[in-house]
Amino acid sequence: MTRTINGHAVNPIGLGCMTLSWAYGLKPTEDYSANLLNRALDIGYNHLDTARIYGEGHNETLIGETLKHRRKEFFLASKTGIIVDGDKRRVDCRPETIRTALEESLRLLQTDHIDLYYLHRRDFNTPIEDSIGELASAVKAGKIGSIGLSEMSADTLRKASAVHPIAAMQTEYSPMTRNPEIAVLEACRELGTTFVAFSPVGRGALCGVVRDPLALPKGDIRRTMPRFIGENWQHNLGLIDAFAQLATTVGVTASQLALGWVLAKGEHIVTIPGTASIEHLEENIARHDWLPDADTVARVDALINRETVAGSRYSETMQQTIDTEDFT
């Protein structure tokens, strides 16, 4: 089973590479990360997703160094728009900033072509039309194959699509995070845009990797996310355990059920679970051609949804910095 991004056939389960550099747990060694990336290609992953912000260039450098000799074996996606200045960060999608960032990404990735290049966040100070215009020039120059948006609204997608076709929209989507169901999933379907679901396993929650968020290493971003804190987390643990039991009844792991549920929500959806574990890497793709039946999807929907999950995915302050629709 394959799905498409901008006409390219990809495995419906790709690999989000962020965890190899930043944000979750402890960063693995360079050798382990290189082994994981090569193992990913060996077992069928052919869509790798990175970004400049991941380790402030570390992730792009890792992929470039490790896989430059295998570049033709995978669809490569990266992102720009979040700029780090010392201990501060900002969103900057001005055309001149995009132009400079793209050249640096090409250099670090050791390639002359990125298949899919996203705007990582909406720059509210720059018209989306201007940003897309610059990326359209990069497509024409052959430096990128297609344009993507990340964590943006259906309205922004429509405005961007009026300038140039948008190949992909990337946003968090899992049984625990339903925001795309407000408008973006349908907008993508209408416009022929592939929806790329990140964190499909609830940032590790649904597969049981996280049992005590306070035991996570300092700096792990989940420690500050509302649904991982205090009473919210204790409530959500009950849902997570029930989800695991449901997975057992249908003969898959909890991770595989979460991935299958996401893919069952539309043929225009692909997903990019991230991991720093070769064991989990293998588990995630092992059932890439499996979809839960309608009854199983309905049972997941009844168990875990926006009404039953305690706590939002982001803090109120963080939510204000992104452009996705939110439940009111």
Side-chain angles (χ1 to χ4, degrees), residues 97-155:
T97 304
I98 292 172
R99 199 174 308 129
T100 300
L102 174 56
E103 292 300 327
E104 181 67 359
S105 284
L106 290 167
R107 184 185 73 82
L108 296 179
L109 289 162
Q110 300 191 43
T111 185
D112 61 1
H113 182 81
I114 297 171
D115 297 298
L116 173 60
Y117 201 54
Y118 291 92
L119 296 179
H120 206 159
R121 292 290 187 274
R122 172 77 184 273
D123 179 351
F124 294 102
N125 296 313
T126 301
I128 189 67
E129 294 85 354
D130 292 355
S131 303
I132 298 301
E134 178 60 33
L135 290 173
S137 296
V139 172
K140 187 174 181 180
K143 295 182 179 181
I144 64 175
S146 56
I147 299 170
L149 304 178
S150 176
E151 293 276 51
M152 298 192 199
S153 66
D155 180 63

Side-chain angles (χ1 to χ4, degrees), residues 31-275:
D31 285 346
Y32 188 91
S33 294
N35 287 338
L36 185 148
L37 289 171
N38 277 295
R39 179 62 177 160
L41 298 189
D42 291 343
I43 62 176
Y45 286 89
N46 60 5
H47 170 201
L48 304 187
D49 182 274
T50 183
R52 172 60 51 74
I53 188 68
Y54 301 162
E56 297 180 36
H58 174 269
N59 207 251
E60 288 183 324
T61 300
L62 173 67
I63 291 172
E65 283 291 328
T66 303
L67 300 178
K68 58 188 174 184
H69 64 296
R70 304 185 69 174
R71 177 64 188 88
K72 294 182 180 180
E73 297 180 37
F74 61 96
F75 184 89
L76 174 62
S78 192
K79 313 177 196 69
T80 187
I82 302 178
I83 309 299
V84 176
D85 290 323
D87 60 352
K88 297 181 180 179
R89 52 187 245 173
R90 71 181 192 278
V91 176
D92 185 345
C93 294
R94 292 175 296 169
E96 58 269 30
T97 304
I98 292 172
R99 199 174 308 129
T100 300
L102 174 56
E103 292 300 327
E104 181 67 359
S105 284
L106 290 167
R107 184 185 73 82
L108 296 179
L109 289 162
Q110 300 191 43
T111 185
D112 61 1
H113 182 81
I114 297 171
D115 297 298
L116 173 60
Y117 201 54
Y118 291 92
L119 296 179
H120 206 159
R121 292 290 187 274
R122 172 77 184 273
D123 179 351
F124 294 102
N125 296 313
T126 301
I128 189 67
E129 294 85 354
D130 292 355
S131 303
I132 298 301
E134 178 60 33
L135 290 173
S137 296
V139 172
K140 187 174 181 180
K143 295 182 179 181
I144 64 175
S146 56
I147 299 170
L149 304 178
S150 176
E151 293 276 51
M152 298 192 199
S153 66
D155 180 63
T156 299
L157 173 60
R158 295 185 192 283
K159 290 178 180 178
S161 296
V163 178
H164 188 279
I166 303 302
M169 169 68 83
Q170 182 174 147
T171 294
E172 182 177 357
Y173 188 42
S174 76
M176 297 183 75
T177 297
R178 302 300 191 95
N179 304 65
E181 296 175 354
I182 299 172
V184 165
L185 280 180
E186 183 56 34
C188 285
R189 192 192 314 273
E190 292 175 9
L191 293 166
T193 298
T194 301
F195 182 86
V196 180
F198 77 79
S199 295
V201 191
R203 301 182 185 267
L206 288 175
C207 63
V209 168
V210 184
R211 296 300 296 181
D212 179 7
L214 293 178
L216 294 170
K218 183 179 180 181
D220 190 299
I221 62 175
R222 291 167 291 191
R223 290 173 63 105
T224 63
M225 292 179 168
R227 63 181 48 159
F228 286 88
I229 296 174
E231 293 182 359
N232 286 344
W233 177 248
Q234 293 306 312
H235 169 85
N236 292 333
L237 266 180
L239 301 178
I240 291 164
D241 290 341
F243 183 82
Q245 292 174 3
L246 175 56
T248 298
T249 66
V250 295
V252 295
T253 69
S255 290
Q256 291 164 353
L257 178 57
L259 296 169
W261 178 92
V262 168
L263 295 174
K265 290 295 181 172
E267 294 183 355
H268 64 307
I269 299 173
V270 300
T271 186
I272 50 168
T275 184

